[in-house]
Structures are given as structure tokens and as C-alpha cells.
Amino acid sequence: MPNGRFMVNCGGIDGVSDMTYGAARPKSMNDVWMHNSAIRALSEAFPGKVSWKRMPERNGENFLALTGLLPDLSSWSSAVPGHLSETVKKWKPCAPSQ
């Protein structure tokens, strides 16, 4: 479909939690997406056009990915029901921190 998008539930962090055994942690919370192989693959397939967010612990801490340019989060947030509004603002582009 032209101009279509994918929204994908990409599961959690691959392998054992880095907090459990003290393995290398991401440089920042903005880099935590790099520990998810599905989001890494999507960002390679759609360079510069993948965004991500992490679901709350009560929802499994899964990652969600969205292809396409990051939409205007303010207008998107105002267009969805109130209980979804704040979570819309948690989307971030897949770009490693410098």
C-alpha cells in the first residue's frame, strides 16, 4: 500500500536482562531499542523511518515500532482517546545517541 505504515509489537529485550548480570548497558534510555533485534532489523530496512516506544511493565515491557516518519505527537495525542493520549508522546525516533 503506498504511504502505508507498519506498527509492530517487537517483544522485549533480546537475551538475558542487562540489569541481571551487569552486561553493558545502553549509553542512554534513548538507545535501549538497540537491544531488540526486531527494531534493529526494521531500522536497517527503513533507515531513518522507524520510531519506537516501550510499553509499561504492567503490559510486558514490550517494544512497539512504527515505520514512516515520526508523526506530530501533539496532534496525534489530541486525536486519540484520553487514556491513550499520554502514551502517544512516548514515541522516539530510532537514532543512536552520540
XYZ file of all heavy atoms in Angstrom:
748
model
N 0.846 -1.163 0.000
C 0.000 0.000 0.000
C 0.901 1.238 0.000
O 1.743 1.380 0.886
C -0.898 0.003 1.228
C -1.666 1.274 1.317
S -2.589 1.737 2.785
C -3.159 0.325 3.569
N 0.738 2.146 -0.959
C 1.544 3.361 -0.983
C 1.325 4.188 0.276
O 0.207 4.321 0.765
C 1.035 4.114 -2.211
C 0.312 3.103 -3.030
C -0.171 2.052 -2.083
N 2.404 4.732 0.805
C 2.376 5.581 2.007
C 1.842 4.856 3.242
O 1.408 5.492 4.188
C 1.579 6.863 1.759
C 2.171 7.679 0.649
O 3.387 7.878 0.594
N 1.342 8.119 -0.272
N 1.849 3.527 3.214
C 1.382 2.755 4.362
C 2.413 2.713 5.468
O 3.562 3.132 5.300
N 2.011 2.227 6.600
C 2.883 2.100 7.765
C 2.675 0.732 8.384
O 1.642 0.114 8.215
C 2.537 3.134 8.833
C 2.845 4.541 8.456
C 2.401 5.447 9.616
N 2.726 6.808 9.369
C 3.773 7.436 9.875
N 4.591 6.809 10.686
N 4.003 8.690 9.604
N 3.679 0.317 9.155
C 3.560 -0.865 9.997
C 3.688 -0.422 11.437
O 4.536 0.411 11.757
C 4.702 -1.865 9.738
C 4.694 -2.503 8.398
C 5.660 -2.177 7.461
C 3.741 -3.450 8.070
C 5.671 -2.781 6.225
C 3.750 -4.060 6.823
C 4.718 -3.716 5.907
N 2.864 -0.971 12.312
C 3.083 -0.855 13.749
C 3.262 -2.287 14.229
O 2.401 -3.131 13.990
C 1.920 -0.178 14.469
C 2.219 0.036 15.953
S 0.886 0.844 16.875
C 0.992 2.513 16.267
N 4.401 -2.550 14.873
C 4.784 -3.913 15.197
C 5.060 -4.047 16.691
O 5.783 -3.226 17.265
C 6.070 -4.308 14.417
C 6.466 -5.737 14.713
C 5.890 -4.080 12.935
N 4.502 -5.085 17.316
C 4.893 -5.443 18.678
C 6.152 -6.294 18.540
O 6.105 -7.408 18.022
C 3.781 -6.221 19.372
C 4.121 -6.562 20.810
O 5.286 -6.607 21.198
N 3.093 -6.809 21.593
N 7.277 -5.771 19.008
C 8.578 -6.407 18.780
C 9.076 -7.218 19.967
O 10.231 -7.652 19.976
C 9.605 -5.330 18.440
S 9.212 -4.440 16.933
N 8.250 -7.451 20.960
C 8.685 -8.227 22.124
C 9.582 -7.398 23.033
O 9.601 -6.177 22.968
N 10.346 -8.091 23.873
C 11.198 -7.408 24.849
C 12.643 -7.353 24.417
O 12.979 -7.523 23.254
N 13.504 -7.110 25.385
C 14.948 -7.071 25.131
C 15.411 -8.490 24.850
O 15.011 -9.433 25.518
C 15.700 -6.463 26.335
C 15.406 -4.972 26.416
C 17.192 -6.718 26.233
C 16.053 -4.275 27.586
N 16.285 -8.639 23.848
C 16.804 -9.955 23.482
C 17.745 -10.488 24.548
O 18.540 -9.744 25.113
C 17.567 -9.886 22.153
C 16.641 -9.545 21.004
O 15.446 -9.828 21.103
O 17.139 -8.985 20.010
N 17.665 -11.780 24.811
C 18.583 -12.427 25.741
C 18.275 -12.096 27.187
O 17.197 -11.644 27.536
N 19.267 -12.287 28.022
C 19.144 -12.054 29.458
C 19.172 -10.567 29.733
O 19.899 -9.825 29.087
C 20.298 -12.764 30.200
C 20.237 -12.500 31.686
C 20.251 -14.253 29.919
N 18.409 -10.135 30.701
C 18.374 -8.726 31.071
C 19.764 -8.222 31.415
O 20.503 -8.849 32.161
C 17.451 -8.545 32.284
O 17.608 -7.254 32.805
N 20.116 -7.059 30.888
C 21.434 -6.497 31.182
C 21.544 -6.058 32.636
O 22.632 -5.876 33.141
C 21.770 -5.344 30.241
C 20.810 -4.179 30.329
O 19.827 -4.266 31.071
O 21.054 -3.181 29.642
N 20.436 -5.896 33.323
C 20.481 -5.494 34.722
C 20.773 -6.684 35.633
O 21.267 -6.525 36.716
C 19.174 -4.833 35.106
C 18.978 -3.503 34.408
S 17.461 -2.744 34.940
C 16.831 -2.168 33.389
N 20.480 -7.883 35.151
C 20.675 -9.069 35.967
C 22.150 -9.411 36.144
O 22.606 -9.692 37.234
C 19.942 -10.272 35.344
O 18.568 -9.931 35.170
C 20.046 -11.490 36.214
N 22.908 -9.380 35.070
C 24.298 -9.814 35.134
C 25.304 -8.695 34.915
O 26.481 -8.944 34.756
C 24.539 -10.932 34.113
C 23.741 -12.161 34.436
C 22.616 -12.497 33.709
C 24.090 -12.972 35.506
C 21.872 -13.614 34.023
C 23.345 -14.096 35.833
C 22.238 -14.408 35.082
O 21.499 -15.515 35.400
N 24.853 -7.458 34.870
C 25.765 -6.330 34.750
C 26.409 -6.188 33.385
O 27.460 -5.590 33.254
N 25.791 -6.724 32.347
C 26.335 -6.579 30.993
C 26.264 -5.115 30.584
O 25.629 -4.295 31.233
C 25.532 -7.429 30.013
N 26.928 -4.785 29.499
C 26.961 -3.404 29.029
C 25.548 -2.864 28.847
O 24.701 -3.504 28.250
C 27.723 -3.328 27.720
N 25.336 -1.683 29.367
C 24.035 -1.037 29.242
C 24.086 -0.028 28.106
O 25.150 0.434 27.729
C 23.687 -0.309 30.539
C 23.483 -1.274 31.675
C 23.137 -0.535 32.923
N 23.048 -1.492 34.002
C 22.222 -1.388 34.994
N 21.423 -0.367 35.070
N 22.194 -2.292 35.934
N 22.932 0.341 27.582
C 22.938 1.357 26.536
C 23.477 2.676 27.075
O 23.416 2.931 28.280
C 21.466 1.488 26.141
C 20.694 0.672 27.089
C 21.622 -0.149 27.910
N 24.001 3.531 26.186
C 24.529 4.828 26.593
C 23.464 5.665 27.272
O 23.748 6.439 28.165
C 25.068 5.591 25.383
C 26.296 4.990 24.779
C 26.728 5.819 23.582
C 27.797 5.114 22.799
N 28.132 5.823 21.570
N 22.237 5.554 26.814
C 21.129 6.300 27.399
C 19.851 5.500 27.206
O 19.825 4.526 26.469
C 21.003 7.674 26.725
O 20.413 7.545 25.457
N 18.789 5.951 27.844
C 17.495 5.284 27.671
C 17.006 5.408 26.226
O 16.217 4.608 25.767
C 16.457 5.864 28.633
C 16.663 5.409 30.068
S 16.820 3.614 30.254
C 15.192 3.064 29.788
N 17.508 6.403 25.495
C 17.128 6.547 24.096
C 17.752 5.467 23.219
O 17.363 5.289 22.082
C 17.494 7.934 23.569
C 16.643 9.011 24.187
O 15.508 8.777 24.581
N 17.187 10.195 24.297
N 18.784 4.769 23.739
C 19.456 3.714 22.982
C 18.976 2.305 23.341
O 19.424 1.345 22.746
C 20.969 3.766 23.224
C 21.622 4.978 22.613
O 21.048 5.546 21.664
O 22.708 5.363 23.072
N 18.074 2.174 24.298
C 17.650 0.856 24.759
C 17.009 0.040 23.633
O 17.064 -1.182 23.633
C 16.735 0.976 26.002
C 15.359 1.474 25.631
C 16.639 -0.330 26.739
N 16.453 0.693 22.635
C 15.842 -0.002 21.494
C 16.852 -0.880 20.770
O 16.469 -1.865 20.151
C 15.207 0.987 20.524
C 16.189 1.885 19.828
C 16.612 3.106 20.260
C 16.867 1.644 18.607
N 17.520 3.632 19.379
C 17.702 2.753 18.341
C 16.864 0.586 17.692
C 18.510 2.851 17.227
C 17.676 0.676 16.564
C 18.479 1.797 16.341
N 18.147 -0.560 20.846
C 19.167 -1.330 20.132
C 19.322 -2.740 20.695
O 19.942 -3.591 20.064
C 20.501 -0.592 20.158
C 20.477 0.632 19.272
S 22.105 1.288 18.989
C 22.162 2.566 20.220
N 18.736 -3.023 21.855
C 18.773 -4.363 22.439
C 17.635 -5.251 21.927
O 17.469 -6.364 22.391
C 18.714 -4.286 23.969
C 19.964 -3.733 24.564
N 21.039 -4.508 24.866
C 20.308 -2.468 24.883
C 22.007 -3.760 25.359
N 21.578 -2.520 25.374
N 16.861 -4.740 20.983
C 15.744 -5.502 20.424
C 16.029 -5.776 18.952
O 16.088 -4.850 18.142
C 14.438 -4.725 20.605
C 13.252 -5.499 20.100
O 13.008 -5.550 18.912
N 12.513 -6.110 21.009
N 16.207 -7.051 18.603
C 16.611 -7.407 17.237
C 15.563 -7.034 16.188
O 15.910 -6.683 15.060
C 16.935 -8.897 17.152
O 15.809 -9.668 17.501
N 14.288 -7.097 16.533
C 13.245 -6.755 15.554
C 13.306 -5.266 15.197
O 13.200 -4.902 14.019
C 11.866 -7.114 16.102
N 13.498 -4.414 16.194
C 13.583 -2.976 15.911
C 14.867 -2.660 15.150
O 14.866 -1.850 14.225
C 13.465 -2.135 17.196
C 12.069 -2.321 17.789
C 13.710 -0.664 16.891
C 11.815 -1.543 19.051
N 15.970 -3.329 15.505
C 17.216 -3.122 14.753
C 17.016 -3.500 13.288
O 17.447 -2.773 12.383
C 18.358 -3.941 15.358
C 18.921 -3.355 16.620
C 20.266 -3.984 17.006
N 20.341 -5.425 16.848
C 20.046 -6.312 17.784
N 19.624 -5.920 18.969
N 20.162 -7.612 17.550
N 16.350 -4.632 13.033
C 16.110 -5.069 11.649
C 15.213 -4.072 10.906
O 15.476 -3.738 9.747
C 15.479 -6.458 11.644
N 14.171 -3.595 11.565
C 13.293 -2.602 10.934
C 14.049 -1.314 10.625
O 13.872 -0.718 9.558
C 12.091 -2.297 11.832
C 10.994 -3.347 11.866
C 10.041 -3.093 13.022
C 10.244 -3.378 10.543
N 14.912 -0.888 11.542
C 15.644 0.360 11.305
C 16.668 0.207 10.179
O 16.998 1.176 9.507
C 16.290 0.877 12.590
O 17.295 0.016 13.039
N 17.150 -1.024 9.956
C 18.030 -1.271 8.814
C 17.225 -1.303 7.509
O 17.666 -0.817 6.477
C 18.790 -2.580 8.988
C 19.873 -2.505 10.038
C 20.577 -3.837 10.256
O 20.559 -4.688 9.342
O 21.137 -4.013 11.350
N 16.031 -1.881 7.556
C 15.182 -1.971 6.363
C 14.574 -0.619 5.983
O 14.355 -0.352 4.801
C 14.065 -2.986 6.603
N 14.301 0.215 6.986
C 13.690 1.530 6.767
C 14.549 2.600 7.449
O 14.140 3.197 8.445
C 12.265 1.575 7.337
C 11.342 0.530 6.786
C 11.074 -0.629 7.501
C 10.732 0.697 5.553
C 10.215 -1.597 7.008
C 9.873 -0.263 5.050
C 9.614 -1.416 5.771
N 15.760 2.845 6.943
C 16.675 3.774 7.632
C 16.073 5.175 7.813
O 15.529 5.748 6.878
C 17.912 3.816 6.738
C 17.564 3.125 5.476
C 16.301 2.361 5.691
N 16.159 5.650 9.047
C 15.651 6.979 9.364
C 14.146 7.080 9.429
O 13.606 8.169 9.618
N 13.447 5.952 9.302
C 11.982 5.991 9.263
C 11.354 4.969 10.196
O 10.336 4.371 9.891
C 11.493 5.760 7.831
C 11.880 6.885 6.892
C 11.302 6.675 5.538
C 11.708 7.825 4.639
N 11.267 7.608 3.279
N 11.969 4.776 11.363
C 11.395 3.880 12.371
C 11.414 4.606 13.713
O 12.415 5.222 14.080
C 12.169 2.547 12.485
C 11.594 1.671 13.591
C 12.138 1.801 11.157
N 10.306 4.529 14.407
C 10.194 5.077 15.760
C 9.838 3.938 16.698
O 9.359 2.897 16.268
C 9.099 6.147 15.812
O 9.376 7.168 14.885
N 10.081 4.157 17.985
C 9.821 3.098 18.954
C 9.289 3.689 20.252
O 9.432 4.880 20.528
C 11.100 2.315 19.244
C 12.107 3.132 20.013
C 12.965 4.063 19.511
C 12.318 3.129 21.422
N 13.708 4.629 20.502
C 13.330 4.071 21.700
C 11.753 2.428 22.486
C 13.794 4.324 22.990
C 12.218 2.680 23.767
C 13.225 3.617 24.003
N 8.662 2.831 21.029
C 8.327 3.145 22.425
C 8.283 1.840 23.188
O 8.128 0.758 22.616
C 7.027 3.927 22.553
C 5.765 3.128 22.418
C 4.575 4.001 22.767
C 3.292 3.207 22.764
N 2.178 3.971 23.287
N 8.451 1.946 24.476
C 8.433 0.768 25.345
C 7.146 0.780 26.145
O 6.760 1.805 26.706
C 9.636 0.811 26.291
C 9.823 -0.467 27.064
C 11.187 -1.032 26.795
N 11.355 -2.332 27.382
C 12.342 -2.661 28.172
N 13.281 -1.792 28.458
N 12.432 -3.875 28.655
N 6.488 -0.339 26.189
C 5.245 -0.456 26.952
C 5.579 -0.506 28.444
O 6.669 -0.938 28.827
C 4.494 -1.716 26.534
C 4.081 -1.732 25.061
S 2.994 -0.373 24.626
C 1.526 -0.866 25.516
N 4.652 -0.099 29.299
C 4.888 -0.167 30.745
C 5.067 -1.605 31.227
O 4.650 -2.557 30.552
C 3.622 0.437 31.352
C 2.821 0.995 30.245
C 3.347 0.442 28.963
N 5.662 -1.757 32.384
C 5.910 -3.077 32.966
C 4.620 -3.889 33.061
O 4.613 -5.082 32.776
C 6.545 -2.928 34.347
C 6.942 -4.242 34.962
C 7.655 -4.075 36.289
O 7.966 -2.944 36.680
O 7.891 -5.099 36.941
N 3.533 -3.245 33.424
C 2.253 -3.970 33.560
C 1.755 -4.522 32.225
O 0.895 -5.381 32.190
C 1.194 -3.079 34.210
C 0.703 -1.950 33.340
C -0.327 -1.071 34.062
N -0.840 -0.048 33.221
C -0.250 1.123 32.990
N 0.893 1.416 33.578
N -0.807 2.006 32.195
N 2.305 -4.021 31.122
C 1.951 -4.509 29.784
C 3.085 -5.303 29.158
O 3.148 -5.439 27.937
C 1.563 -3.346 28.871
C 0.329 -2.624 29.356
O 0.421 -1.533 29.878
N -0.829 -3.246 29.222
N 4.003 -5.808 29.966
C 5.048 -6.692 29.485
C 6.351 -6.054 29.075
O 7.263 -6.739 28.651
N 6.456 -4.735 29.157
C 7.662 -4.011 28.754
C 8.085 -4.312 27.316
O 9.256 -4.220 26.979
C 8.827 -4.272 29.711
C 8.623 -3.716 31.092
C 9.851 -3.823 31.959
O 10.461 -4.919 32.038
O 10.217 -2.810 32.552
N 7.141 -4.704 26.487
C 7.445 -4.943 25.079
C 7.756 -3.630 24.381
O 7.339 -2.564 24.815
C 6.263 -5.603 24.366
C 6.130 -7.051 24.709
O 6.970 -7.635 25.380
N 5.057 -7.666 24.254
N 8.476 -3.739 23.268
C 8.743 -2.597 22.420
C 7.729 -2.568 21.293
O 7.363 -3.613 20.758
C 10.137 -2.707 21.789
C 11.268 -2.499 22.744
C 11.740 -3.549 23.510
C 11.862 -1.260 22.864
C 12.795 -3.367 24.380
C 12.923 -1.071 23.726
C 13.390 -2.121 24.493
N 7.288 -1.384 20.919
C 6.474 -1.199 19.727
C 7.301 -0.403 18.737
O 8.040 0.504 19.130
C 5.189 -0.425 20.037
C 4.173 -1.112 20.937
C 2.965 -0.199 21.138
C 3.728 -2.431 20.347
N 7.190 -0.732 17.467
C 7.877 0.008 16.416
C 6.842 0.529 15.428
O 5.818 -0.110 15.181
C 8.869 -0.895 15.688
N 7.119 1.693 14.876
C 6.249 2.330 13.890
C 7.118 2.778 12.727
O 8.097 3.499 12.925
C 5.544 3.539 14.517
C 4.644 4.360 13.610
C 3.421 3.541 13.185
C 4.203 5.637 14.318
N 6.788 2.324 11.514
C 7.559 2.751 10.346
C 7.003 4.062 9.813
O 5.876 4.444 10.107
C 7.535 1.690 9.229
O 6.200 1.505 8.780
C 8.126 0.372 9.702
N 7.800 4.729 9.014
C 7.438 6.037 8.464
C 8.025 7.138 9.330
O 8.577 6.885 10.402
N 7.936 8.351 8.849
C 8.452 9.475 9.634
C 7.629 9.628 10.910
O 6.429 9.340 10.921
C 8.400 10.757 8.807
C 9.286 10.760 7.561
C 9.073 12.037 6.765
C 10.755 10.601 7.932
N 8.286 10.077 11.965
C 7.599 10.276 13.246
C 6.526 11.348 13.067
O 6.818 12.464 12.640
C 8.603 10.700 14.322
C 8.086 10.819 15.741
C 7.597 9.469 16.254
C 9.168 11.357 16.656
N 5.270 11.005 13.349
C 4.194 11.988 13.192
C 4.302 13.096 14.243
O 5.028 12.965 15.227
C 2.920 11.169 13.392
C 3.317 9.814 13.813
C 4.799 9.706 13.786
N 3.559 14.154 14.037
C 3.463 15.224 15.031
C 2.762 14.641 16.258
O 1.574 14.316 16.205
C 2.670 16.397 14.460
C 2.491 17.522 15.458
O 2.391 17.263 16.675
O 2.442 18.678 15.017
N 3.521 14.476 17.328
C 2.991 13.783 18.507
C 1.885 14.569 19.201
O 0.968 13.983 19.770
C 4.125 13.459 19.481
C 5.206 12.536 18.919
C 6.285 12.279 19.966
C 4.622 11.230 18.423
N 1.942 15.892 19.154
C 0.895 16.701 19.799
C -0.443 16.521 19.105
O -1.467 16.303 19.756
C 1.288 18.176 19.805
O 2.426 18.363 20.601
N -0.451 16.589 17.779
C -1.735 16.436 17.076
C -2.239 14.996 17.156
O -3.439 14.759 17.273
C -1.626 16.903 15.620
O -0.690 16.154 14.920
N -1.320 14.015 17.093
C -1.714 12.620 17.230
C -2.316 12.388 18.608
O -3.365 11.764 18.758
C -0.508 11.718 16.993
C -0.771 10.239 16.966
C -1.979 9.601 16.919
C 0.208 9.206 16.984
N -1.807 8.230 16.903
C -0.473 7.970 16.942
C 1.600 9.201 17.038
C 0.198 6.753 16.956
C 2.254 7.988 17.041
C 1.569 6.776 17.000
N -1.661 12.929 19.641
C -2.124 12.767 21.015
C -3.522 13.360 21.207
O -4.360 12.781 21.898
C -1.127 13.431 21.970
O -1.590 13.383 23.281
N -3.784 14.497 20.581
C -5.099 15.128 20.749
C -6.188 14.412 19.950
O -7.373 14.624 20.196
C -5.038 16.605 20.367
O -4.761 16.759 19.009
N -5.792 13.549 19.021
C -6.767 12.852 18.178
C -7.198 11.491 18.731
O -8.091 10.864 18.180
C -6.195 12.657 16.770
N -6.553 11.029 19.822
C -6.900 9.722 20.382
C -7.608 9.900 21.721
O -7.513 10.953 22.348
C -5.648 8.810 20.548
C -5.012 8.533 19.205
C -4.649 9.418 21.503
N -8.320 8.872 22.196
C -8.996 8.969 23.493
C -8.015 9.301 24.625
O -6.823 8.964 24.554
C -9.595 7.574 23.690
C -9.680 6.990 22.320
C -8.550 7.588 21.543
N -8.520 9.937 25.658
C -7.715 10.423 26.775
C -6.763 9.404 27.372
O -5.609 9.725 27.661
N -7.195 8.154 27.568
C -6.339 7.160 28.201
C -5.150 6.772 27.319
O -4.178 6.197 27.800
C -7.148 5.927 28.627
C -7.712 5.140 27.490
N -8.834 5.542 26.796
C -7.313 3.980 26.929
C -9.101 4.655 25.860
N -8.184 3.698 25.907
N -5.193 7.081 26.037
C -4.076 6.794 25.132
C -3.213 8.028 24.856
O -2.095 7.912 24.368
C -4.603 6.267 23.792
C -5.376 4.963 23.832
C -5.939 4.660 22.453
C -4.483 3.837 24.307
N -3.736 9.183 25.185
C -3.104 10.445 24.822
C -1.659 10.578 25.304
O -0.775 10.935 24.532
C -3.947 11.602 25.365
O -3.361 12.823 25.038
N -1.403 10.311 26.573
C -0.048 10.481 27.107
C 0.942 9.469 26.550
O 2.104 9.779 26.366
C -0.056 10.417 28.638
C -0.577 11.685 29.278
C 0.181 12.933 28.850
O 1.435 12.945 28.912
O -0.482 13.902 28.444
N 0.478 8.252 26.263
C 1.412 7.242 25.751
C 1.851 7.554 24.325
O 2.937 7.147 23.919
C 0.821 5.826 25.822
O -0.330 5.746 24.993
C 0.460 5.446 27.243
N 1.050 8.291 23.580
C 1.438 8.693 22.227
C 2.719 9.523 22.277
O 3.596 9.402 21.430
C 0.298 9.492 21.545
C 0.788 10.230 20.320
C -0.851 8.571 21.185
N 2.861 10.337 23.301
C 4.007 11.245 23.406
C 5.310 10.529 23.741
O 6.367 11.142 23.760
C 3.713 12.318 24.442
C 2.542 13.199 24.026
C 2.191 14.191 25.085
C 0.976 14.998 24.665
N 0.531 15.900 25.719
N 5.272 9.209 23.961
C 6.476 8.451 24.318
C 7.216 7.882 23.100
O 8.258 7.280 23.242
C 6.119 7.349 25.300
C 5.643 7.914 26.621
C 5.362 6.859 27.633
C 4.880 7.546 28.909
N 4.760 6.644 30.001
N 6.677 8.066 21.902
C 7.364 7.583 20.703
C 8.629 8.377 20.486
O 8.663 9.593 20.655
C 6.450 7.712 19.470
C 5.364 6.696 19.449
C 4.083 6.872 19.877
C 5.447 5.354 18.976
N 3.360 5.721 19.702
C 4.175 4.768 19.146
C 6.477 4.580 18.427
C 3.893 3.461 18.787
C 6.197 3.270 18.066
C 4.926 2.731 18.241
N 9.725 7.671 20.080
C 11.015 8.303 19.821
C 11.569 7.730 18.524
O 11.368 6.556 18.225
C 12.000 7.989 20.944
C 11.564 8.455 22.289
C 12.505 7.938 23.353
C 11.901 8.208 24.703
N 12.296 7.305 25.712
N 12.307 8.545 17.771
C 12.938 8.001 16.558
C 14.072 7.050 16.916
O 14.730 7.201 17.950
C 13.445 9.237 15.830
C 13.570 10.284 16.885
C 12.564 9.960 17.951
N 14.325 6.055 16.084
C 15.454 5.147 16.269
C 16.704 5.834 15.754
O 16.950 5.871 14.545
C 15.244 3.836 15.505
S 13.959 2.807 16.193
N 17.446 6.401 16.662
C 18.703 7.066 16.306
C 19.624 6.919 17.495
O 19.270 7.313 18.602
C 18.461 8.536 15.993
N 20.799 6.319 17.310
C 21.711 6.156 18.437
C 22.175 7.495 18.988
O 22.369 8.445 18.226
C 22.897 5.373 17.864
C 22.649 5.194 16.419
C 21.326 5.783 16.081
N 22.327 7.581 20.295
C 22.847 8.793 20.929
C 24.304 8.961 20.572
O 25.026 7.990 20.384
C 22.694 8.714 22.452
O 21.342 8.659 22.795
N 24.716 10.164 20.483
C 26.117 10.453 20.148
C 26.978 10.519 21.401
O 26.654 10.876 22.417
C 26.229 11.775 19.393
C 25.398 11.777 18.124
C 25.824 10.712 17.114
O 26.995 10.453 16.940
N 24.864 10.092 16.474
